[in-house]
Amino acid sequence: MGSWRTAMSASKEAIQAAASKFIDFVNKSPSPYHVVHECSKALTSAGFEELRESQKWVIQPKKKYFFTRNKSTIIAFAVGGKYQAGNGFTMVGAHTDSPCLKVKPDSKRIKNDYLSIGVECYGGGIWHTWMDRDLKVAGRVIVKNKDKLEHKLVHINRPILFIPNVAIHLHRTHNENFAPNKETHLVPVLATACQEQLTKPASSNEDKASDKKTEPYQVTKHHSLLLQQLCEELNTTAEDVLDFELFLADAQNAVIGGALNEFLLSPRLDNLVNVYCALEGLIEACKNDSFDEDPNIRMVNFYDNEEVGSQTAQGAESSLTEFIMRRLCVSENRTSFEESIPKSMLLSADQAHAIHPNYPEKHEERHKPSLHKGPVIKINSNQRYATTAVTSSILRVIAEKGNVPLQEFVVRNDSPCGTTIGPIIASKLGLKTVDIGMPQLGMHSIREMACTSSIHQATELYKAYFEHYPAVNASLDIE
Ligand SMILES: [Zn+2]
């Protein structure tokens, strides 16, 4: 397999260019809905045609397609020039969601002269990192437009919320044992009550609304200040806002940093690194001759709700993946789906833990992935990761062809271990799977850290996988 030194020196400019494009993608993707929107835009401009699950599909070789479910999960696929039903699927899976705070269904809080917003904790975040940050709001709003219900994206791209810490003078043990209570201490402030009073006209819309018998549904549940912001962004009225899913996010943009401009300092690296790189890898891999000759379907599956266990209609645990594969296998041969499974493979692409400069004891002595030194194969004998000797061997051969260095990770026996969509899909479909991810630090903090070269390396690996997997799999004599 290629050494990290050769891989890095050969492509310094390509590394920085890829990292900058990724940073731009993150800054435009503060919620899973925005992630899917950005992916859709990139796919459309790369010649992918949008489909709807509810319609009948006519799929042709050498053509490229995508569809969304709930607007928070997206699947894109490119049909190889030599594809016929019963051939394999070359798949990369990742997730669109990240741990965050979400606005509660009834969020209005007025207490001690503050207007605050009730939020729920989504996923396993490091919640104290959300304090003392400039917070913005983004997500989707369901708007009534005459007799239609429309999904609209909203991104209020300025710091309208803040969760202040408590002063050390009032909490002397702050530096020894501070952990916020998730219900009472993580309540972002929107405004002060007195300032809000000053900005209100003598008889405000809200007062009028509460006089009416049929007041707008959302007005009673959320501060009018928040609703106003949404309505201004969407050019609609509170009466037409039926419901929404609003995610809080760091208002500070992701950047490239470090004295040598080598670090990605960014929210949601887990798992936008792999969403972005798998998408780029797929688009790039369809630009060359290998696509015309490919017997397989090349597919990326980006699921929502991984951070909360994947058991949702749009999550990896749903029947979505199987249904789509079956749909693309329809033919007179009634077992073409079953025949396609052993010819298929999934890269379960999710971030990995790099060795930490200040917590080196957290890693197993012989498995310490470093920044810059390549994608990390994740292995766990208790099957929290789905990698096997067969699947890692296939990936090693492909990485060699793509000149991408690889590293390995196993967790310490005395440490808890994360998991991914890998074991879920592998066990549901009986699909060969390898768990892979790029090394990063501070996973699930509001701001994480990784390295610039991971974007270029992951993209190259996924591209090589789409191009070479069918041939490498054909050389395999193990079923
Ligand atoms: Zn993840």
Side-chain angles (χ1 to χ4, degrees):
M1 135 195 3
S3 94
W4 61 270
R5 196 179 284 278
T6 349
M8 275 186 74
S9 59
S11 49
K12 192 136 189 36
E13 276 171 19
I15 287 170
Q16 293 304 118
S20 300
K21 278 181 71 186
F22 168 72
I23 292 288
D24 192 43
F25 178 82
V26 172
N27 289 334
K28 288 179 179 156
S29 305
S31 81
Y33 302 104
H34 290 82
V35 175
V36 165
H37 179 68
E38 289 303 311
C39 290
S40 304
K41 279 198 313 194
L43 288 162
T44 304
S45 62
F48 285 66
E49 180 190 328
E50 182 162 7
L51 303 171
R52 282 172 174 260
E53 269 194 278
S54 54
Q55 290 171 347
K56 195 167 172 65
W57 295 353
V58 183
I59 298 302
Q60 290 173 332
K62 294 201 217 179
K63 292 259 172 81
K64 301 173 287 186
Y65 309 89
F66 73 96
F67 68 93
T68 66
R69 183 181 274 190
N70 187 46
K71 300 266 188 198
S72 62
T73 285
I74 182 165
I75 294 185
F77 56 95
V79 186
K82 300 273 162 71
Y83 177 76
Q84 44 181 287
N87 290 3
F89 291 79
T90 309
M91 300 157 75
V92 182
H95 62 91
T96 58
D97 61 325
S98 300
C100 68
L101 300 175
K102 282 183 79 174
V103 175
K104 283 184 176 176
D106 188 326
S107 73
K108 193 190 271 188
R109 305 277 182 276
I110 306 176
K111 218 175 177 182
N112 300 316
D113 282 338
Y114 292 102
L115 271 63
S116 303
I117 292 198
V119 291
E120 257 190 302
C121 297
Y122 175 88
I126 307 177
W127 300 119
H128 72 80
T129 65
W130 286 72
M131 306 184 87
D132 303 339
R133 310 289 308 187
D134 306 351
L135 300 173
K136 63 181 177 181
V137 157
R140 70 121 161 250
V141 181
I142 305 298
V143 178
K144 196 168 59 179
N145 184 3
K146 296 186 186 124
D147 53 354
K148 282 211 162 85
L149 304 187
E150 292 177 345
H151 152 109
K152 293 201 170 181
L153 286 175
V154 65
H155 182 179
I156 302 172
N157 200 1
R158 59 188 178 280
I160 63 166
L161 294 168
F162 196 82
I163 308 174
N165 228 313
V166 60
I168 195 159
H169 317 74
L170 307 178
H171 191 91
R172 285 290 178 199
T173 57
H174 229 310
N175 288 323
E176 286 82 58
N177 58 4
F178 179 72
N181 176 295
K182 288 190 281 184
E183 181 60 32
T184 56
H185 297 150
L186 285 177
V187 186
V189 172
L190 181 68
T192 58
C194 58
Q195 197 60 241
E196 196 233 4
Q197 286 301 323
L198 290 176
T199 60
K200 265 188 178 173
S203 159
S204 76
N205 284 342
E206 192 174 359
D207 296 336
K208 270 192 237 154
S210 56
D211 294 341
K212 280 195 226 161
K213 270 190 185 150
T214 52
E215 56 200 353
Y217 181 57
Q218 298 297 342
V219 167
T220 52
K221 306 197 300 174
H222 304 284
H223 287 300
S224 56
L225 265 184
L226 177 66
L227 288 173
Q228 264 166 29
Q229 307 268 348
L230 291 180
C231 293
E232 272 168 34
E233 286 278 322
L234 295 174
N235 202 12
T236 187
T237 59
E239 285 80 359
D240 289 332
V241 171
L242 283 176
D243 211 342
F244 48 65
E245 289 174 62
L246 289 182
F247 300 71
L248 274 57
D250 195 343
Q252 186 185 1
N253 270 343
V255 294
I256 294 175
L260 299 172
N261 284 322
E262 62 178 311
F263 299 129
L264 305 173
L265 309 174
S266 164
R268 303 180 295 282
L269 291 174
D270 171 19
N271 194 15
L272 297 190
V273 166
N274 293 294
V275 167
Y276 178 81
C277 296
L279 190 75
E280 285 289 299
L282 175 66
I283 290 172
E284 289 304 312
C286 293
K287 287 181 180 166
N288 58 39
D289 295 346
S290 72
F291 183 44
D292 296 344
E293 297 303 313
D294 196 338
N296 276 17
I297 287 185
R298 302 171 174 189
M299 185 179 269
V300 293
N301 310 30
F302 303 145
Y303 306 96
D304 194 4
N305 302 133
E306 189 273 348
E307 297 292 357
V308 292
S310 298
Q311 282 180 321
T312 64
Q314 57 281 347
E317 180 107 41
S318 74
S319 47
L320 177 64
T321 320
E322 180 182 339
F323 285 0
I324 296 312
M325 290 171 77
R326 282 190 184 280
R327 239 175 137 149
L328 300 175
C329 281
V330 169
S331 75
E332 280 163 18
N333 173 6
R334 297 182 67 169
T335 58
S336 49
F337 170 69
E338 288 78 3
E339 289 166 36
S340 76
I341 293 292
K343 297 175 196 156
S344 302
M345 180 154 142
L346 172 73
L347 293 196
S348 162
D350 205 344
Q351 288 294 84
H353 304 296
I355 179 74
H356 195 296
N358 308 332
Y359 294 87
E361 72 282 3
K362 296 287 181 191
H363 273 69
E364 199 271 344
E365 195 54 39
R366 303 276 294 171
H367 300 85
K368 297 176 176 174
S370 296
L371 296 181
H372 293 305
K373 294 191 177 174
V376 182
I377 298 179
K378 297 185 264 182
I379 301 148
N380 182 251
S381 64
N382 295 305
Q383 303 304 310
R384 304 280 288 168
Y385 303 129
T387 310
T388 66
V390 171
T391 58
S392 69
S393 299
I394 292 172
L395 195 65
R396 280 173 214 285
V397 173
I398 289 166
E400 174 105 51
K401 290 180 190 291
N403 192 26
V404 180
L406 290 176
Q407 311 185 75
E408 285 180 334
F409 176 78
V410 297
V411 78
R412 287 172 60 101
N413 288 327
D414 56 4
S415 166
C417 183
T419 188
T420 70
I421 59 166
I424 295 172
I425 296 178
S427 59
K428 268 183 105 82
L429 294 173
L431 202 62
K432 287 197 293 294
T433 301
V434 60
D435 266 293
I436 180 92
M438 303 309 295
Q440 73 158 80
L441 298 170
M443 195 180 287
H444 291 193
S445 169
I446 194 169
R447 204 162 170 87
E448 303 168 333
M449 179 175 175
C451 60
T452 48
S453 39
S454 61
I455 304 304
H456 183 64
Q457 288 169 344
T459 305
E460 289 296 303
L461 180 67
Y462 302 148
K463 177 170 170 271
Y465 166 69
F466 287 122
E467 290 168 0
H468 298 295
Y469 168 71
V472 176
N473 190 56
S475 71
L476 191 75
D477 194 16
I478 312 163
E479 268 201 28

